[in-house]
Amino acid sequence: GAVVSQHPSRVICKSGTSVKIECRSLDFQATTMFWYRQFPKKSLMLMATSNEGSKATYEQGVEKDKFLINHASLTLSTLTVTSAHPEDSSFYICSASTATDSYEQYFGPGTRLTVT
Amino acid sequence: AQSVTQPDIHITVSEGASLELRCNYSYGATPYLFWYVQSPGQGLQLLLKYFSGDTLVQGIKGFEAEFKRSQSSFNLRKPSVHWSDAAEYFCAVAHTGGFKTIFGAGTRLFVKA
């Protein structure tokens, strides 16, 4: 149980285009979802926290207009990187938690974004 | 402010040897503590967690961790390492006032034959 999927697993896009990453909780309802960014050989950096049906809460230094987060249902959150630039290339990981086990997060497998 | 410190950037152990990965945290109250493992290019898998109760926590894959309040530590141990344990290990602390989880910088484990 508690499986989280991400799609796509890898994506290459051209500079200036937008790319959407999906995060789905497959067998549970995720009241809260998190988006992290991980640089090579580095730890996870929390980008934003989203609750179903409400606006995401972004961490300091994360541009909300660049990284659009939508949490439209209890099983789906999306991260859209708008007007991508090479410096946006990174490994993006989502996680989800439930109302009954709110301090434990279930992680997706990650999405490798490369902007050329 | 909360913080998590993993003093060792990388550790190399021989297969079959014991392992201890260090983790220290800074937090005002009793934290919720986690250890995760990440294989290259993969997401994170939960090894074990501590919320309350017995300070020695058993996890998956033969791992255990001990919460020591006096030392603000939550070190991960395994009595006999297998080659498949080679990965990145992250210690994390959850904010009890919300959902935010702070991750340590990670420790890369190398296992030599």
Side-chain angles (χ1 to χ4, degrees), chain A residues 20-37:
Chain A
K20 179 185 287 188
I21 302 170
E22 292 186 348
C23 176
R24 293 181 184 273
S25 56
L26 299 184
D27 51 3
F28 67 101
Q29 293 188 326
T31 52
T32 305
M33 285 186 165
F34 306 84
W35 286 96
Y36 295 87
R37 182 172 180 178

Side-chain angles (χ1 to χ4, degrees), chain A residues 43-84:
Chain A
S43 188
L44 282 72
M45 180 191 78
L46 179 64
M47 299 174 66
T49 303
S50 72
N51 292 293
E52 184 263 338
S54 58
K55 290 184 178 180
T57 301
Y58 289 81
E59 295 300 301
Q60 191 173 9
V62 178
E63 300 176 59
K64 61 179 68 176
D65 294 330
K66 176 144 187 83
F67 299 100
L68 301 179
I69 292 171
N70 183 279
H71 192 164
S73 77
L74 285 172
T75 59
L76 174 64
S77 176
T78 59
L79 167 67
T80 301
V81 182
T82 62
S83 187

